[in-house]
Amino acid sequence: MSKILVIYASDYGSTEKAAQKIAEGARAVEGTEVEVKKALEVTPEDMSAADGIIAGSPTHMGSMHWELKKWIDEVCGGLWMKDALVGKVGAVFGTGGGYGNAGGGCELTMLSLLNNFAELGLILVPLPRNTPGYDKAGLQWGPYARAHTEQGQPVGVKEEQLESFMNHGANVARIAKVAQQHSFFPKP
Ligand SMILES: Cc1cc2nc3c(=O)[nH]c(=O)nc-3n(C[C@H](O)[C@H](O)[C@H](O)COP(=O)(O)O)c2cc1C
């Protein structure tokens, strides 16, 4: 059995909806157990027990939600010092308003989470552009859904935008299942 932990922050429900869809995709992979948690509820034990970690954030002022940064600093920091997560699988997803019609900082948000995951020694999983649903809600870094109209009205994440999230969850679960059985990185 391989375990996927989906971690998110969400004030208005869009990122939570995306997180649940990621979980649905991961759960569909045979032999995979999935847990979905808000960033503030994640413990070091949850992290150590997971084979794959998928974190998602809304874009806030062009960067990640503070709850995710708190989790990175206070939960992941201690594990980083012990190299406790090296060789696990990591991936990200996001939502945003897309202010200015050029992303509004969603790429920086996702890249900064991926940067943290690289620090932790995770095996990073991108979102290939041939993934079904990529055209509606995809970036190479992971699925991203714009939850506002071009006029800036918050309308939430639409059903048609969720396909890439589901496929991302399944991709990560398949990779984590294999990675769990190997030690790709030599121990010092
Ligand atoms: C405090 C705050 C700051 C935001 N800053 C940005 C931003 O810089 N760029 C952007 O594209 N969207 C921004 N948004 C819009 C949110 O990213 C978007 O509504 C997101 O989907 C909300 O996710 P949630 O429903 O999970 O809370 C901001 C929203 C809030 C509440």
Side-chain angles (χ1 to χ4, degrees):
M1 184 63 79
S2 130
K3 190 158 184 186
I4 298 292
L5 178 60
V6 182
I7 300 166
Y8 71 96
S10 182
D11 292 331
Y12 302 104
S14 287
T15 317
E16 180 167 28
K17 199 168 165 185
Q20 294 298 347
K21 212 65 185 179
I22 293 253
E24 189 183 322
R27 230 172 252 127
V29 175
E30 207 191 322
T32 304
E33 194 181 299
V34 182
E35 194 171 8
V36 183
K37 278 201 157 185
K38 288 192 164 182
L40 292 182
E41 295 165 0
V42 176
T43 65
E45 291 73 28
D46 293 329
M47 302 291 293
S48 298
D51 301 296
I53 297 150
I54 316 178
S57 179
T59 310
H60 275 193
M61 305 285 293
S63 56
M64 75 177 79
H65 193 295
W66 69 270
E67 293 177 11
L68 284 151
K69 182 64 174 128
K70 186 173 181 348
W71 157 71
I72 289 286
D73 288 359
E74 295 183 1
V75 177
C76 299
L79 296 163
W80 169 75
M81 283 188 241
K82 292 188 260 182
D83 295 318
L85 304 180
V86 173
K88 293 180 187 290
V89 170
V92 302
F93 62 98
T95 71
Y99 299 156
N101 213 10
C106 67
E107 294 208 44
L108 280 173
T109 301
M110 294 165 90
L111 274 170
S112 92
L113 275 170
L114 283 172
N115 174 46
N116 294 140
F117 280 4
E119 281 282 350
L120 291 166
L122 303 191
I123 299 165
L124 306 181
V125 181
L127 185 74
R129 72 188 184 110
N130 64 353
T131 306
Y134 188 96
D135 56 333
K136 303 273 184 329
L139 282 171
Q140 66 270 42
W141 316 117
Y144 161 75
R146 181 177 189 169
H148 291 216
T149 64
E150 288 185 11
Q151 289 70 40
Q153 294 306 310
V155 287
V157 172
K158 297 187 208 76
E159 197 56 38
E160 62 174 20
Q161 291 175 297
L162 292 170
E163 189 181 13
S164 61
F165 289 86
M166 197 170 73
N167 288 314
H168 196 48
N171 288 347
V172 176
R174 277 190 294 270
I175 293 165
K177 212 168 136 178
V178 175
Q180 177 208 28
Q181 291 159 19
H182 300 273
S183 288
F184 293 116
F185 297 114
K187 298 254 181 291

